[in-house]
């Protein structure tokens, strides 16, 4: 990324190879990189660290360990790994590249059952959905959950994590194709929100009580429209900052809702080592579930690395099902 702007600011360039600088670091030969909405936002607005230009984007990566630092104990050359590290513009690199250096504490073994593009598409959405449902939302077995945009990158993973916890799930979708997809992932009640008032549908589903937990991945007006669908003393978790111009919290206050904000990038932005280790442990557990057939990632499209701009254009069209990844040769 040479400057903030449209997808054309993403250019294939030769950059210095990253090198192991700390004894706990790994050099990874990247085979694939995930693309996420945060990548397009950084490209449009500029990186979190504006002095770092040109910047390599891409938080999600998967590849093969090429070399290890002197203190590395968990990994060896040849190990296949996946992770969410870098891509925000700070020192080091993102994963739209052939090489990355990652601390062994913040990385996990790649699920054997996933291809490299599938694995690279998974980390950010897995961690986001896990933290939102399990940590912020305190989801328990037997509860009822509303997940917005269930066919999207975060949404389709969130449905599966909720079902693995023993919850019942209703989810909003925009088309019959997406309805069929979310049913495959275990959704109990897909709601075609263009035809049906989703809050009314959720209330009918819960006999007027409201869901125990709502997970908002859309934001803006959707966040406020969700409030009446949540039970008294229920939880709302959003991955976007509520916009006060779109509504107010009067009903949420009357219903004693607990509102939580989820940003899985916080540990990376603030250098919180224990939190980054925790996120790696999430990927380790999810790798087990992938290999046991309990969890799936829906990879809808791949692009070669040199077509990263085209991947961003596709992502910005919206209404996508699942994820997009870049393949790196």
């Amino acid at each position: 990324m040479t400057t903030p702007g449209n997808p054309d600011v993403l250019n294939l360039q030769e950059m210095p190879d990253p090198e192991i600088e700390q004894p706990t670091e790994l050099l990874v030969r990247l085979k694939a990189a995930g693309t996420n909405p945060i990548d397009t936002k950084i490209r449009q607005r500029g990186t979190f660290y504006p002095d770092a230009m040109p910047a390599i984007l891409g938080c999600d990566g998967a590849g093969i360990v090429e070399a290890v630092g002197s203190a590395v104990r968990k990994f060896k050359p040849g190990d296949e790994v996946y992770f969410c590290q870098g891509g925000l513009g700070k020192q080091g690199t993102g994963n739209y590249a052939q090489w990355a250096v990652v601390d062994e504490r913040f990385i996990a073994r790649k699920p054997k059952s996933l291809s490299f593009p599938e694995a690279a598409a998974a980390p950010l959405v897995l961690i986001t959905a896990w933290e939102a449902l399990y940590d912020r939302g305190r989801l328990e077995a037997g509860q009822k959950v509303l997940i917005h945009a269930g066919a999207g990158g975060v949404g389709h993973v969130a449905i599966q994590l909720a079902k693995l916890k023993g919850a019942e799930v209703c989810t909003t979708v925009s088309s019959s194709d997406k309805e069929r997809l979310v049913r495959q992932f275990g959704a109990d009640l897909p709601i075609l929100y263009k035809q049906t008032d989703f809050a009314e549908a959720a209330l009918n589903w819960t006999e007027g009580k409201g869901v125990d937990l709502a997970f908002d991945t859309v934001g803006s007006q959707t966040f406020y429209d969700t409030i009446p669908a949540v039970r008294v003393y229920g939880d709302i978790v959003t991955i976007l900052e509520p916009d006060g111009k779109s509504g107010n919290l009067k009903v949420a206050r009357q219903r004693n809702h607990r509102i939580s904000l989820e940003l899985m990038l916080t540990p990376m932005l603030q250098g919180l080592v224990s939190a980054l280790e925790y996120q790696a442990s999430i990927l380790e557990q999810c790798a087990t579930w992938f290999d046991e057939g309990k969890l799936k990632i829906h990879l809808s499209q791949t692009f070669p690395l040199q077509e990263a701009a085209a991947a961003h254009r596709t992502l910005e069209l919206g209404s996508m099902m699942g994820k997009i990844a870049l393949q790196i040769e």
Side-chain angles (χ1 to χ4, degrees), residues 126-142:
L126 287 172
I127 295 168
T128 297
W130 180 298
E131 291 186 346
L133 295 176
Y134 294 176
D135 299 336
R136 306 285 90 70
R138 304 166 179 86
L139 183 63
E140 297 178 2

Side-chain angles (χ1 to χ4, degrees), residues 114 156-157 160 184-185 289-290 293-298:
L114 297 190
H156 85 285
V157 168
Q160 297 173 76
Q184 291 175 22
F185 292 123
W289 284 340
F290 279 122
K294 297 177 180 177
L295 191 57
K296 296 179 181 178
I297 194 80
H298 184 72

Side-chain angles (χ1 to χ4, degrees), residues 10-65:
L10 299 178
N11 297 303
L12 197 65
Q13 292 185 19
E14 288 291 332
M15 299 286 285
D17 290 344
E19 297 180 351
I20 292 174
E21 296 180 355
Q22 301 298 325
T24 55
E25 289 178 338
L26 314 169
L27 176 65
V28 178
R29 180 188 294 272
L30 289 161
K31 303 295 287 183
T35 61
N36 293 288
I38 186 63
D39 301 351
T40 65
K41 291 174 183 177
I42 292 172
R43 191 210 70 233
Q44 291 166 357
R45 304 171 188 170
T47 73
F48 286 91
Y49 308 94
D51 295 334
M53 282 289 179
I56 300 174
L57 297 181
C59 302
D60 282 339
I64 302 170
V65 176

Side-chain angles (χ1 to χ4, degrees), residues 79-242:
D79 286 345
E80 297 181 351
V81 294
Y82 77 142
F83 55 91
C84 184
Q85 276 291 298
L88 305 181
K90 202 175 183 181
Q91 72 267 19
T93 67
N95 297 301
Y96 293 5
Q98 293 173 309
W99 300 96
V101 169
V102 186
D103 193 292
E104 74 160 343
R105 296 171 292 176
F106 313 147
I107 200 166
R109 295 186 189 280
K110 181 183 81 67
K112 295 182 176 66
S113 56
L114 297 190
S115 67
F116 282 107
E118 288 171 331
L124 185 145
V125 295
L126 287 172
I127 295 168
T128 297
W130 180 298
E131 291 186 346
L133 295 176
Y134 294 176
D135 299 336
R136 306 285 90 70
R138 304 166 179 86
L139 183 63
E140 297 178 2
Q143 290 188 324
K144 292 193 172 183
V145 187
L146 167 61
I147 295 170
H148 282 299
V154 173
H156 85 285
V157 168
I159 291 169
Q160 297 173 76
L161 292 180
K163 296 301 292 184
L164 281 165
K165 183 63 82 169
E168 295 180 64
V169 177
C170 68
T171 185
T172 55
V173 293
S174 61
S175 69
S176 55
D177 284 345
K178 291 182 177 181
E179 177 184 5
R180 284 189 289 272
L181 182 68
V182 298
R183 286 191 186 278
Q184 291 175 22
F185 292 123
D188 299 284
L189 176 66
I191 302 169
L192 289 158
Y193 68 87
K194 292 183 178 180
Q195 304 170 18
T196 304
D197 182 303
F198 71 79
E200 184 178 332
L203 287 168
N204 289 338
W205 184 56
T206 57
E207 300 177 339
K209 296 176 183 177
V211 297
D212 299 287
L213 168 63
F215 181 25
D216 169 34
T217 66
V218 178
S220 192
Q221 188 64 46
T222 298
F223 171 80
Y224 293 98
D225 289 346
T226 300
I227 291 170
V230 179
R231 69 168 174 83
V232 175
Y233 294 109
D235 280 274
I236 305 172
V237 182
T238 182
I239 60 174
L240 295 146
E241 182 179 347

